[in-house]
Amino acid sequence: MPPPDHHKDDQYLKEVIPKRIQLFQSIQSQQKSHIQSLPHDPIKVVLPDGSVKEGKRWESSPMDIAKGISKSLANNALISMVDGVLWDMNRPLESDCQLKLFTFDSDEGRDTFWHSSAHILGQSLETEYGCKLCIGPCTTRGEGFFYDAFYGDLGLNQDHFKSIESGALKAVAEKQPFERIEVTKEQALEIFSDNSFKVEIINDLPVDKTITVYRCGPLVDLCRGPHIPNTSFVKAIACLKASSAYWRGNKDRESLQRVYGISYPDQKRLKEYIEMLREAEKYDHRELGKKQELFFNHPLSPGSWFFLPYGTRIYNKLVEFIKKQYLERGYQEVISPNMFNMKLWETSGHAANYKENMFLIDIEKQEFGLKPMNCPGHCLIFDHKVRSYRELPLRMADFGVLHRNEASGALTGLTRVRRFQQDDAHIFCRESQIKDEVRGVLEFIDYAYTVFGFTYELKLSTRPEKYLGKMETWEKAEADLAEALNEFGKPWQINEGDGAFYGPKIDISVSDALKRKFQCATLQLDFQLPERFKLEYSAEEENGIERPVMIHRAILGSVERMFAILLEHYKGKWPFWLSPRQAIVCPVSEKSQPYALQVQDQIVKAGYYVDVDTTDRKIQKKYRVLGFIRKTYCPTKLVIVELHIVITVDLGDVSVSSVSRSLQVREAQLAQYNFILVVGEEEAKTGQVSVRVRDKADHSVMNIPSLLEQFKEKTEAHQ
């Protein structure tokens, strides 16, 4: 099917793009001449293994060093790091330095690869549709990239993808180099004078910010970079979906369209990724949630979900799991208000930086806001009385309800909501306690994620360009975090310059059964909020007053989001300890129902979730019929239709009760009950149950005490 007709802005393509290229080339020529005039003194380049390579200042590039090591490395290295700063492979080195090289198998390499792929996508979109490009990063999930653009009246959909991909592959085939220039604010405004979105970005940049512009083929784009050497490294690229977006995430601004893409260095990996997406679609938490009657949402409360009885069982189990650990790990639970006067958020800084994401309420001519996070409220709790160093560390936990005014277009099932709860906690401690507290949080994370069956990666995000506080405080905090990570004993990486402005942090990304990555847990140091709220405690020294350090931490993160991740991770098959349907008792006849209810009562009193199948399955008085889609009866045959498969059972050869029993078991298996307990007259006489386990064909006969002991063992082992 050909893509719908669209109006291409020919003037934009014929005049704007050539003008940008001309300005880019003019500035590039001047900068190359300047670099050639500089002294090309010898420099020493130190590699991670300690070996030293020789080069020339303003002449040798990381690519030259890679070629000197091996042809294979030069063919696969995507990006470099020079003294802790990511650096284009073809950008000349400026002095003696330490050099690291990254391939696609590293986070740095993948992120750069996908960021560069976004430029290739942007080039195709701009040349094909004459749209005004906005931003095009790699995704925060770490899987692919997207580009936001303004198209006017054109609505993109999957019918456009073939032509978009064709344009992208054309750029790949041309082996377009990624070229970099540095420009002044005035030059940047001139280059992008025809794109109001880029102009707004430029005008908002700090005065002292170095502005960089990149070119690949006809695309000239405002970008801090860095990028892969050229477009030919992207051997496989595909569009995934198109959606709406708002400029700068503000629902009151221009409506944009976002195209998501994925790319790889070879077709095999792209094919594997597409297969993984197809597999993931089968287990989308929204569909599984409907099938298992766990939750739903309603247009009268968008972004806020209703949890049904079975879903509430899981939700509560997750909360109880964390709360039990709180008792063992020295946390104190608190409950804080849902709504605060905006003066609180002015003190914390959220009024200036987060107000548009808050729900605001006018009360008696004063402005209040529903809390989007717990930390300012916890500062008030800390400050409500005089504190002593003897009370520290103070670990304060809160499952309070949070509200964030997410744009309607960004709402995605349980993973992006407006109303949610976090297993939120804040640790107030002395600087000397940071290392031990951080290690304790890491051990908590490891315990929980091991129970869930996740693997995870750790990164230490260090001081960004713009930060608050003293340099020596940051250096001490980063050293404490690094030491805690080393003592923790798991592999970790440095994420240079990606810390929050108020303190360094440890980023934890988990991988589920489908090998998808998610950011759930949080561990951040904060020197800023204690300063803003003037928090103090009396020190050991007489009359000494000190300010605490605040550690923000969450293990599950949003309970709603973790619920969704686990539902997909387990593919709808909940482990027994977390399952909302731990067991069902299936009586094979009406005579067995009283005993089935007795069994249920014993199991419920032991603290487990158990249902009883009391469905009336009689037709006339002679036959028992079970059907999944429709039921058909004839005098000599029993016909059962299940998911388009027709099974005919000759009643002359098979007893009705045995058919009933097998179909009860099948129904229970499809409903994902962990244990199916079949009871008949024989079981009622002996006080036993016939036990079948989900997804297993065999069965065993057990008495109730033995069954409950098995349930207890599974619960304690989190199985």
Side-chain angles (χ1 to χ4, degrees):
M1 177 179 176
D5 292 337
H6 63 271
H7 173 68
K8 186 183 293 187
D9 190 339
D10 291 331
Q11 181 182 5
Y12 191 81
L13 296 174
K14 292 179 180 178
E15 297 180 12
V16 174
I17 291 178
K19 183 201 80 170
R20 287 183 189 164
I21 293 173
Q22 183 181 4
L23 288 170
F24 183 96
Q25 290 176 330
S26 175
I27 297 169
Q28 184 184 48
S29 178
Q30 294 173 18
Q31 292 184 359
K32 282 183 176 179
S33 297
H34 174 68
I35 289 173
Q36 288 174 357
S37 68
L38 297 173
H40 292 195
D41 303 327
I43 59 172
K44 292 183 178 180
V45 180
V46 182
L47 301 176
D49 64 359
S51 61
V52 178
K53 298 293 181 180
E54 300 291 332
K56 290 188 176 180
R57 187 183 182 199
W58 300 110
E59 181 179 328
S60 300
S61 68
M63 181 62 78
D64 294 324
I65 302 299
K67 288 178 179 177
I69 297 172
S70 75
K71 183 178 180 181
S72 174
L73 180 60
N75 289 338
N76 291 284
L78 300 173
I79 195 65
S80 67
M81 183 176 282
V82 177
D83 291 336
V85 178
L86 287 174
W87 200 272
D88 295 288
M89 288 296 294
N90 290 318
R91 181 181 170 187
L93 298 169
E94 300 174 3
S95 61
D96 292 346
C97 62
Q98 292 186 330
L99 177 69
K100 295 180 182 178
L101 301 173
F102 300 101
T103 66
F104 186 82
D105 293 325
S106 67
D107 289 340
E108 293 83 356
R110 276 192 300 274
D111 287 349
T112 303
F113 187 90
W114 283 328
H115 182 192
S116 300
S117 298
H119 279 238
I120 296 171
L121 172 65
Q123 179 185 144
S124 179
L125 294 172
E126 187 176 56
T127 56
E128 182 69 20
Y129 302 107
C131 56
K132 287 181 168 57
L133 297 176
C134 297
I135 58 168
C138 60
T139 62
T140 54
R141 280 267 307 268
E143 293 176 347
F145 50 91
F146 66 82
Y147 218 119
D148 286 349
F150 180 75
Y151 295 82
D153 296 331
L154 174 65
L156 289 180
N157 56 50
Q158 290 187 345
D159 294 333
H160 296 90
F161 287 178
K162 188 173 182 180
S163 59
I164 295 171
E165 291 168 355
S166 177
L169 291 172
K170 180 176 180 290
V172 168
E174 292 174 355
K175 298 184 179 180
Q176 301 165 356
F178 280 89
E179 302 172 283
R180 175 185 184 272
I181 60 172
E182 295 183 5
V183 298
T184 64
K185 192 169 188 176
E186 291 71 24
Q187 289 172 326
L189 289 170
E190 182 181 7
I191 293 172
F192 298 102
S193 60
D194 295 279
N195 187 325
S196 60
F197 302 100
K198 302 287 186 184
V199 168
E200 185 175 331
I201 294 173
I202 295 164
N203 284 326
D204 287 347
L205 291 174
V207 176
D208 58 347
K209 178 72 174 178
T210 299
I211 302 175
T212 54
V213 174
Y214 278 80
R215 178 191 173 191
C216 61
L219 178 72
V220 175
D221 205 357
L222 180 72
C223 182
R224 68 179 180 179
H227 287 285
I228 61 178
N230 64 68
T231 58
S232 70
F233 282 73
V234 182
K235 298 292 193 296
I237 188 168
C239 295
L240 297 177
K241 64 177 179 178
S243 65
S244 61
Y246 294 108
W247 172 234
R248 296 196 156 178
N250 186 343
K251 63 182 181 298
D252 297 323
R253 295 297 304 272
E254 294 86 344
S255 180
L256 311 175
Q257 292 185 73
R258 175 173 296 178
V259 178
Y260 288 90
I262 188 68
S263 60
Y264 284 96
D266 57 72
Q267 285 288 344
K268 180 184 176 184
R269 277 191 270 196
L270 176 61
K271 184 178 179 181
E272 290 173 349
Y273 181 80
I274 298 299
E275 286 299 316
M276 184 274 288
L277 287 184
R278 288 174 182 159
E279 181 73 5
E281 284 178 8
K282 299 178 188 176
Y283 305 108
D284 185 289
H285 72 275
R286 289 161 291 191
E287 294 303 314
L288 288 175
K290 289 178 187 176
K291 290 178 181 177
Q292 296 189 8
E293 298 182 50
L294 303 177
F295 48 76
F296 74 96
N297 70 332
H298 196 281
L300 292 179
S301 186
S304 301
W305 287 73
F306 292 81
F307 284 83
L308 297 166
Y310 286 115
T312 302
R313 290 176 178 182
I314 299 167
Y315 198 109
N316 288 340
K317 282 279 187 181
L318 289 171
V319 173
E320 289 164 9
F321 170 67
I322 295 296
K323 286 188 174 187
K324 183 179 179 184
Q325 290 300 308
Y326 283 165
L327 288 173
E328 298 178 10
R329 298 174 187 272
Y331 285 83
Q332 301 180 50
E333 280 196 77
V334 298
I335 298 173
S336 55
N338 277 9
M339 182 171 57
F340 291 91
N341 190 296
M342 283 305 294
K343 291 177 182 177
L344 174 81
W345 308 108
E346 289 166 5
T347 301
S348 69
H350 291 98
N353 300 305
Y354 204 79
K355 189 174 182 179
E356 65 182 26
N357 296 107
M358 295 176 65
F359 288 102
L360 306 178
I361 303 169
D362 183 73
I363 300 176
E364 297 178 347
K365 297 183 180 180
Q366 293 191 63
E367 194 173 39
F368 284 70
L370 292 177
K371 64 178 179 183
M373 61 276 297
N374 289 307
C375 27
H378 289 185
C379 288
L380 295 184
I381 295 176
F382 184 93
D383 196 42
H384 93 283
K385 71 172 190 175
V386 176
R387 299 287 181 179
S388 164
Y389 72 92
R390 293 184 178 88
E391 295 179 70
L392 305 184
L394 177 59
R395 307 181 187 103
M396 199 180 297
D398 192 339
F399 270 98
V401 174
L402 306 178
H403 286 86
R404 295 182 184 176
N405 190 10
E406 301 282 1
S408 58
L411 300 175
T412 312
L414 294 180
T415 60
R416 195 72 175 267
V417 295
R418 288 177 175 162
R419 186 268 189 203
F420 61 99
Q421 287 178 266
Q422 285 184 323
D423 62 325
D424 201 8
H426 297 92
I427 301 171
F428 297 89
C429 65
R430 308 168 73 180
E431 283 194 25
S432 60
Q433 296 169 329
I434 289 175
K435 185 184 72 173
D436 289 340
E437 290 305 303
V438 168
R439 190 174 65 247
V441 174
L442 290 173
E443 289 169 354
F444 195 168
I445 291 169
D446 182 69
Y447 172 79
Y449 287 3
T450 300
V451 166
F452 294 143
F454 291 147
T455 57
Y456 61 92
E457 297 175 356
L458 299 166
K459 289 184 182 178
L460 171 57
S461 296
T462 58
R463 187 181 68 253
E465 288 183 24
K466 290 192 174 294
Y467 62 92
L468 296 174
K470 298 177 181 179
M471 175 79 76
E472 56 267 29
T473 304
W474 275 83
E475 290 175 347
K476 173 69 166 58
E478 289 173 3
D480 285 339
L481 291 181
E483 193 172 346
L485 283 165
N486 287 332
E487 291 182 6
F488 181 54
K490 302 281 186 180
W492 60 279
Q493 296 177 315
I494 285 277
N495 194 9
E496 295 282 357
D498 202 41
F501 70 91
Y502 51 77
K505 60 180 180 174
I506 295 175
D507 291 319
I508 304 101
S509 61
V510 304
S511 296
D512 69 359
L514 295 171
K515 299 181 180 179
R516 299 171 301 177
K517 289 186 178 181
F518 301 92
Q519 187 80 33
C520 299
T522 298
L523 201 172
Q524 300 180 3
L525 292 191
D526 187 352
F527 312 114
Q528 182 62 12
L529 278 184
E531 181 69 34
R532 282 180 170 270
F533 282 92
K534 308 300 181 188
L535 303 183
E536 296 176 341
Y537 63 89
S538 58
E540 286 184 83
E541 299 78 19
E542 188 175 353
N543 298 322
I545 296 295
E546 293 182 1
R547 198 165 312 288
V549 176
M550 193 172 179
I551 300 176
H552 303 252
R553 59 105 288 204
I555 309 300
L556 302 179
S558 159
V559 182
E560 283 77 1
R561 189 161 187 264
M562 180 58 77
F563 191 122
I565 292 169
L566 288 172
L567 181 51
E568 296 182 2
H569 174 60
Y570 295 132
K571 300 181 180 179
K573 296 179 182 292
W574 296 100
F576 178 80
W577 77 274
L578 199 53
S579 176
R581 294 176 171 89
Q582 292 176 315
I584 185 170
V585 186
C586 298
V588 298
S589 68
E590 285 186 25
K591 292 181 181 179
S592 309
Q593 283 192 14
Y595 177 63
L597 294 171
Q598 290 177 27
V599 171
Q600 180 193 35
D601 186 57
Q602 293 180 67
I603 296 174
V604 167
K605 285 179 179 177
Y608 303 100
Y609 297 131
V610 58
D611 297 321
V612 177
D613 182 356
T614 57
T615 308
D616 183 4
R617 303 174 187 279
K618 294 181 296 182
I619 286 188
Q620 295 179 354
K621 292 182 179 179
K622 198 172 181 181
Y623 304 109
R624 187 176 300 276
V625 182
L626 292 178
F628 293 86
I629 294 178
R630 62 184 174 84
K631 304 168 186 177
T632 304
Y633 169 74
C634 67
T636 57
K637 300 283 184 178
L638 174 65
V639 181
I640 302 161
V641 184
E642 179 191 358
L643 304 178
H644 308 295
I645 300 173
V646 180
I647 307 167
T648 302
V649 180
D650 190 327
L651 295 181
D653 299 325
V654 181
S655 71
V656 176
S657 62
S658 66
V659 174
S660 173
R661 180 180 299 207
S662 65
L663 290 172
Q664 279 181 306
V665 169
R666 180 60 179 151
E667 276 187 317
Q669 288 174 329
L670 291 172
Q672 300 305 329
Y673 283 94
N674 300 75
F675 284 84
I676 300 135
L677 314 175
V678 181
V679 296
E681 293 181 43
E682 184 63 30
E683 287 82 7
K685 289 178 184 177
T686 60
Q688 295 178 312
V689 290
S690 178
V691 181
R692 295 176 185 266
V693 180
R694 182 183 62 195
D695 300 329
K696 291 185 179 179
D698 57 332
H699 66 93
S700 59
V701 177
M702 301 178 69
N703 59 42
I704 304 303
S706 297
L707 179 68
L708 293 177
E709 183 61 30
Q710 187 173 352
F711 285 3
K712 181 182 177 183
E713 290 173 359
K714 282 189 170 293
T715 301
E716 291 177 348
H718 295 106
Q719 295 177 345

